[in-house]
Amino acid sequence: MKVLMLGNEAVARGLFEAGASVVSSYPGTPSTEMTEFVSQYDEIYSEWAPNEKVAMEVAFGASFGGKRSFCAMKHVGLNVAADPLFTISYTGVNAGMVIGVADDPGMHSSQNEQDSRHYARAAKLPMLEPSNSDECLEMTKAAFELSERFDTPVLLRLCTRVSHSQSVVETGPRTEKPAVPYQKNGAKYIMMPGNAKRRHPVVEQRLLSLAAFAETSDLNRVEKGGRKLGIITSGTAYQYVKEVFGDTVSILKLGLVWPLPTKLICDFAASVDRLFVVEELDSFIEAHCRALGLTVSGKDIFPVVGEFSQNLIREKLGIPATPGRTLDADIPMRPPVMCAGCPHRGLFYALVRNKAAVIGDIGCYTLGAMPPLAAMDSTICMGASISGLHGFNKALGEAGEKRAVAVIGDSTFMHSGVTGLIDIAYNGSNSTVIILDNSITGMTGHQQNPTTGFNIKGDPAGKIDLEALCRAVGIRRVRVVDPYDLQQCIDAVKEELEAPEPSVIISRRPCALLKSVKPKPPLKVDPDKCKSCQSCMNIGCPAISFNAGKATVDATLCVGCGVCTQLCAFGAFETTEEATK
Amino acid sequence: METKNIMIVGVGGQGSLLASKLLGRLLLNAGYDVKVSEVHGMSQRGGSVVTYVRYGDKVASPVIDTGEADYIVSFELLEAARWLSYLKPDGKIITNTQQIDPMPVITGAAAYPDNLVSAMKAAGADIDAFDALTLAKAAGSSKAVNIVLMGRLSKYFALPEDAWDKAIAESVPQKFLELNKKAFALGKSAE
């Protein structure tokens, strides 16, 4: 059947058709939907793991046990999972194992723009790169075949424009894969030095075999279009090249982006007068071509930063493009904001009032860094807030301890925050950690996590008791506040910053967008009571604006959280009886 | 057939993803090769969002570039202006006249420009600007702005009415089907 599918959805379909049995992932844009769509297939066990390292180890265990397995993550998640990655390259697999990694050129929703192809080379693993949804489906199946044929985990690299584009796929049936018998084989699976030394040459030989396979595999293909111009490309860059040139130039389209086919590339180079490599992000294929002694052009004209497009290729290759009209007006930016009624807003306001230095983390609450709250000083990676605060306070002593806090979400705390908290308790750091518990993984679109009490299918599941967990690691001062109650939050932050021992404040309110959270009737402003002091504007609620010198509430956005009423000294915000949305 | 390009632009939360899914189904059902590209993530939360819908005999790139859009369907006036450079010389803008202040405007750091419709006309754009929010409310929900705009768009390319009906039925929950059909009809017939 022909259907439109997201690239991520097509990977999930490929897993289904390939007979995969176990999938474990941690959500991360743009990779999240691979696992969300898998969870709709009852034939495949799927789960959200606390982090990417755990997910990859679960997938490895399933492969080791004899069933085809998969894990998905975004590029920065692969950093978290890098430890097992490099060693399962040595052990190889029992049943097939595929690792989906989604890069984000252009950083639509990421904190860096790394090129995951370097991991394939560094860990000496094969990497496939589809360029549309159809190839997502087919290459997922091909990846399992490669994995079993060459006894290796296989990386499947996507990027935002593949993960989040829908194109036409042809679906097929599932092929059930009987379990590969599990046999104890310590020399292969126990990577202590003596065994690992014997595995390293196996890995090197495997790379040579894969490189030989790459020469003739139909994962790589030459599309002939004359000898004037030849372009080596892969992934979305291939689609941009096709958009510009159609069939008028010769293209070497690489689906297996590591290891690269030496002879195929050299033969292709010899078949054209001028050779270009068109690749997003780093000089990966081009560097390989140069190492082969080929005369090639690439990053000398194309950027290493940001996404490509058809017009970028036109511009760089001297082909006219339509520039489009311009408007004689200043168009203000529209940055993302915390939603109306977001429970993080009140807590951030309390931090601003306490003039706290805020070591932040990755999630919706990172938006607390934006004006008008501007309540954040640092954001690095998942979990870095708590350990970063500990280091900050060890460096500054009381000057840090009385002023600085870490803020981290419930899902991120489970991902890699708790180890930082253990460090604080163990090393006697007088630090104040705030867990923003909105009872869901918010930023990626509402995935369950170990604190929510539900699994990926929405069924009841083991639920971490955050208070008990914090106490168990050695924090004696643990308190819960309601972020809709500003004074309570302001007092709690002040007290815990003053307290002479480590403490955790859990700011608890479910995400305002959760279906289980029913909005209250919207508030309205009595214009006679509004004294135009603009105190309410300091909270940065998108539902409140100033018109003709008076505050007004957008009734379509307001969820009646009442935080603004606490900011107004004149009682101008009033409740209404309007039906809830 | 040459590839045709439709951009859907708006503010996160306005329902542009559903509109792009609907268009994707509609055009696939009509026998075209289709690509729909969307950006989620942080931009879902009140930020500027853009979706590309491309269709034709064979579509390569998933994105629409400057000067390439046959139609820009805008859910919010400022967003139409933001993406104006993507319009083809003979392309058309269909825009809701609703204004949603971005945070820099709310905080007073920037101003919402006046007279954007005339400014875009002065820049040579062919514009169909109308109040889709009022029509959506008349249909029964302010959330139906997206389907009102799809109704408006349907005036401009030749696909049979029942093809749209089928795509709407495949895209919206059953219990909201009547509301959405009404919203579509209002968008299509309103002046």
Side-chain angles (χ1 to χ4, degrees):
Chain A
M1 197 174 77
K2 272 191 170 180
V3 282
L4 267 187
M5 274 191 185
L6 273 183
N8 284 347
E9 185 179 2
V11 170
R13 183 70 200 183
L15 293 168
F16 170 79
E17 292 182 13
S21 292
V22 175
V23 173
S24 181
S25 306
Y26 183 80
T29 310
S31 73
T32 311
E33 298 85 359
M34 287 187 248
T35 309
E36 287 189 321
F37 281 108
V38 162
S39 74
Q40 294 172 12
Y41 295 111
D42 288 335
E43 293 85 347
I44 304 175
Y45 169 79
S46 58
E47 65 176 30
W48 291 125
N51 67 30
E52 294 85 356
K53 177 176 186 286
V54 172
M56 189 178 286
E57 290 156 356
V58 169
F60 173 73
S63 153
F64 176 64
K67 290 296 188 81
R68 285 187 167 186
S69 68
F70 179 78
C71 57
M73 59 205 64
K74 67 184 296 182
H75 56 304
V76 285
L78 189 56
N79 302 336
V80 177
D83 195 0
L85 181 78
F86 280 68
T87 299
I88 61 178
S89 172
Y90 273 39
T91 64
V93 300
N94 188 20
M97 174 175 172
V98 177
I99 299 154
V101 55
D103 285 7
D104 188 16
M107 290 181 281
H108 295 284
S109 51
S110 303
Q111 61 272 35
N112 74 36
E113 205 174 24
Q114 80 190 35
D115 188 331
S116 295
R117 292 178 298 176
H118 297 298
Y119 271 108
R121 180 164 54 190
K124 301 172 188 283
L125 289 171
M127 177 179 261
L128 305 187
E129 185 178 23
S131 69
N132 61 18
S133 299
D134 181 41
E135 288 186 357
C136 283
L137 199 167
E138 291 307 321
M139 285 193 188
T140 301
K141 294 200 280 187
F144 279 108
E145 298 298 324
L146 273 191
S147 173
E148 287 166 3
R149 178 169 164 192
F150 292 95
D151 188 12
T152 178
V154 175
L155 288 155
L156 182 72
R157 181 204 190 207
L158 294 90
C159 69
T160 300
R161 294 294 175 192
V162 171
S163 281
H164 284 172
S165 289
Q166 301 174 49
S167 58
V168 184
V169 304
E170 185 98 46
T171 59
R174 176 171 168 94
T175 307
E176 285 297 342
K177 287 280 164 186
V180 181
Y182 165 73
Q183 285 172 326
K184 191 175 167 98
N185 183 353
K188 184 167 188 285
Y189 293 113
I190 302 171
M191 283 303 98
M192 49 194 192
N195 289 339
K197 279 177 190 165
R198 283 188 286 273
R199 289 301 296 177
H200 190 177
V202 176
V203 171
E204 298 300 335
Q205 181 53 50
R206 182 182 72 203
L207 261 190
L208 294 175
S209 307
L210 276 159
F213 165 82
E215 301 289 356
T216 54
S217 165
D218 56 10
L219 291 164
N220 302 323
R221 66 169 185 265
V222 174
E223 298 174 3
K224 285 206 183 301
R227 69 165 298 128
K228 232 170 121 185
L229 183 60
I231 295 174
I232 306 178
T233 186
S234 70
T236 35
Y238 163 77
Q239 303 290 6
Y240 301 140
V241 166
K242 287 300 273 189
E243 181 76 27
V244 173
F245 291 105
D247 300 327
T248 63
V249 300
S250 288
I251 297 171
L252 171 55
K253 195 264 189 197
L254 297 171
L256 183 59
V257 292
W258 189 258
L260 287 163
T262 301
K263 183 169 185 300
L264 183 63
I265 288 174
C266 289
D267 288 351
F268 180 76
S271 75
V272 294
D273 297 336
R274 287 185 75 196
L275 182 65
F276 284 90
V277 172
V278 180
E279 57 187 329
E280 281 183 324
L281 299 179
D282 294 342
S283 166
F284 187 84
I285 300 169
E286 182 190 347
H288 185 80
C289 292
R290 290 192 189 280
L292 294 173
L294 299 172
T295 304
V296 60
S297 194
K299 293 300 174 187
D300 50 334
I301 51 171
F302 288 101
V304 290
V305 173
E307 282 191 294
F308 285 14
S309 67
Q310 46 268 32
N311 273 358
L312 180 101
I313 290 172
R314 288 185 186 111
E315 181 204 324
K316 299 299 179 188
L317 295 179
I319 300 163
T322 316
R325 295 179 179 80
T326 49
L327 200 61
D328 186 22
D330 282 332
I331 307 293
M333 297 281 287
R334 192 185 293 277
V337 291
M338 289 191 288
C339 307
C342 174
H344 303 328
R345 187 173 280 112
L347 195 280
F348 275 117
Y349 182 78
L351 293 175
V352 171
R353 284 286 299 273
N354 276 291
K355 297 188 171 60
V358 179
I359 321 288
D361 222 297
I362 309 292
C364 291
Y365 48 90
T366 312
L367 296 170
M370 309 291 285
L373 287 164
M376 204 171 277
D377 295 70
S378 153
T379 305
I380 304 296
C381 67
M382 297 283 287
S385 58
I386 299 180
S387 25
L389 173 69
H390 172 58
F392 188 82
N393 287 346
K394 283 296 172 194
L396 297 185
E398 210 167 87
E401 292 165 6
K402 296 259 182 265
R403 199 173 153 244
V405 301
V407 294
I408 186 165
D410 47 323
S411 186
T412 314
F413 183 71
M414 285 291 105
H415 176 282
S416 47
V418 66
T419 42
L421 190 64
I422 290 168
D423 195 34
I424 281 174
Y426 174 58
N427 289 304
S429 169
N430 179 15
S431 294
T432 304
V433 172
I434 302 173
I435 303 175
L436 300 167
D437 179 7
N438 66 351
S439 311
I440 204 71
T441 312
M443 178 61 97
T444 42
H446 288 178
Q447 290 74 34
Q448 304 295 344
N449 71 57
T451 70
T452 66
F454 297 95
N455 66 17
I456 193 171
K457 293 199 178 240
D459 296 329
K463 182 172 161 50
I464 293 287
D465 179 336
L466 277 179
E467 292 93 309
L469 175 60
C470 294
R471 290 198 181 94
V473 306
I475 307 293
R476 288 182 298 182
R477 293 182 70 94
V478 179
R479 62 197 282 180
V480 178
V481 297
D482 177 358
Y484 281 180
D485 185 338
L486 295 183
Q487 196 58 50
Q488 190 192 18
C489 292
I490 291 167
D491 293 345
V493 170
K494 188 167 188 299
E495 283 167 28
E496 297 311 327
L497 281 171
E498 288 298 326
E501 62 174 307
S503 53
V504 171
I505 302 170
I506 299 170
S507 170
R508 182 169 287 147
R509 264 276 170 185
C511 171
L513 296 182
L514 279 175
K515 286 199 173 69
S516 56
V517 175
K518 296 291 173 221
K520 290 184 191 163
L523 302 172
K524 65 172 184 187
V525 176
D526 180 342
D528 295 333
K529 290 186 184 166
C530 175
K531 303 298 176 208
S532 310
C533 71
Q534 303 216 4
S535 295
C536 56
M537 300 303 288
N538 294 329
I539 195 81
C541 176
I544 307 173
S545 55
F546 249 68
N547 281 325
K550 302 284 182 183
T552 54
V553 173
D554 182 338
T556 63
L557 289 175
C558 179
V559 297
C561 75
V563 167
C564 53
T565 61
Q566 301 166 55
L567 294 168
C568 182
F570 310 103
F573 289 91
E574 295 177 344
T575 53
T576 67
E577 299 294 318
E578 274 184 47
T580 53
K581 286 180 271 294
Chain B
M1 168 195 152
E2 195 193 339
T3 299
K4 289 277 189 187
N5 301 314
I6 307 169
M7 277 174 80
I8 302 174
V9 302
V11 178
Q14 280 193 298
S16 62
L17 281 187
L18 178 82
S20 67
K21 274 180 193 142
L22 188 157
L23 277 180
R25 281 172 194 270
L26 173 82
L27 296 162
L28 181 69
N29 290 346
Y32 296 111
D33 186 28
V34 183
K35 278 194 175 154
V36 180
S37 185
E38 51 205 47
V39 173
H40 331 171
M42 288 188 99
S43 52
Q44 273 184 320
R45 310 197 178 269
S48 173
V49 293
V50 57
T51 308
Y52 307 115
V53 180
R54 311 190 72 221
Y55 66 101
D57 294 333
K58 182 75 195 152
V59 179
S61 170
V63 300
I64 299 170
D65 218 324
T66 54
E68 291 186 344
D70 294 277
Y71 301 95
I72 293 177
V73 182
S74 178
F75 287 38
E76 198 275 347
L77 193 56
L78 186 67
E79 296 309 308
R82 186 187 311 285
W83 297 96
L84 178 71
S85 65
Y86 282 68
L87 194 66
K88 240 183 202 169
D90 60 347
K92 187 169 193 78
I93 296 182
I94 297 155
T95 186
N96 183 6
T97 50
Q98 185 186 353
Q99 299 190 6
I100 302 173
D101 287 347
M103 194 49 69
V105 171
I106 289 176
T107 60
Y112 197 110
D114 293 326
N115 307 316
L116 280 173
V117 173
S118 22
M120 285 187 273
K121 279 182 182 160
D126 178 6
I127 256 197
D128 178 358
F130 72 110
D131 181 357
L133 181 62
T134 298
L135 294 179
K137 284 178 181 162
S141 166
S142 58
K143 287 185 179 164
V145 159
N146 52 1
I147 306 296
V148 171
L149 281 155
M150 289 300 99
R152 196 68 157 205
L153 176 66
S154 74
K155 287 167 62 171
Y156 297 105
F157 45 90
L159 282 173
E161 181 101 13
D162 58 351
W164 284 94
D165 287 347
K166 184 167 182 276
I168 293 170
E170 286 172 356
S171 306
V172 306
Q174 183 63 33
K175 63 175 175 176
F176 297 123
L177 186 55
E178 281 314 308
L179 185 157
N180 279 298
K181 279 183 171 173
K182 197 171 166 194
F184 185 86
L186 284 175
K188 188 171 180 179
S189 59
E191 281 308 302

